[in-house]
Amino acid sequence: VLRDCAVGDAGAAALAASPHARDLTYLDLWKNRVADAGAAALAASPHLEGVRILSLRDNLITPAGAELLRKRFGDRVKV
């Protein structure tokens, strides 16, 4: 849980690129200034297969970014 920590797109991309993220089953990035670039990085990550709940509520993600996330994570993502 990383709520309201100003993670931003760079932090979301770093997290998505980390092989250590393979162990995550729950990822809460609520209110972290994540926008579409961060959403795209999370959606493209090969390390987030085990995530069962991904919360990105109250961020800067547009409908296009939300669609990328839903294509990857389905109903496991909350935007």
Side-chain angles (χ1 to χ4, degrees):
V1 176
L2 295 169
R3 290 187 174 184
D4 201 8
C5 294
V7 167
D9 287 335
L15 192 114
S18 173
H20 299 290
R22 289 184 192 271
D23 296 330
L24 294 174
T25 56
Y26 176 74
L27 179 55
D28 187 342
L29 296 173
W30 174 82
K31 199 174 180 185
N32 268 289
R33 300 182 197 153
V34 176
D36 287 352
L42 292 167
S45 174
H47 306 299
L48 297 176
E49 291 297 320
V51 171
R52 297 293 161 234
I53 299 173
L54 173 58
S55 178
L56 288 159
R57 295 176 193 253
D58 291 328
N59 279 287
L60 306 172
I61 299 168
T62 68
E67 183 61 26
L68 281 175
L69 291 164
R70 286 190 186 101
K71 282 182 182 176
R72 167 69 190 281
F73 297 103
D75 63 355
R76 298 180 291 155
V77 67
K78 309 299 180 210
V79 183

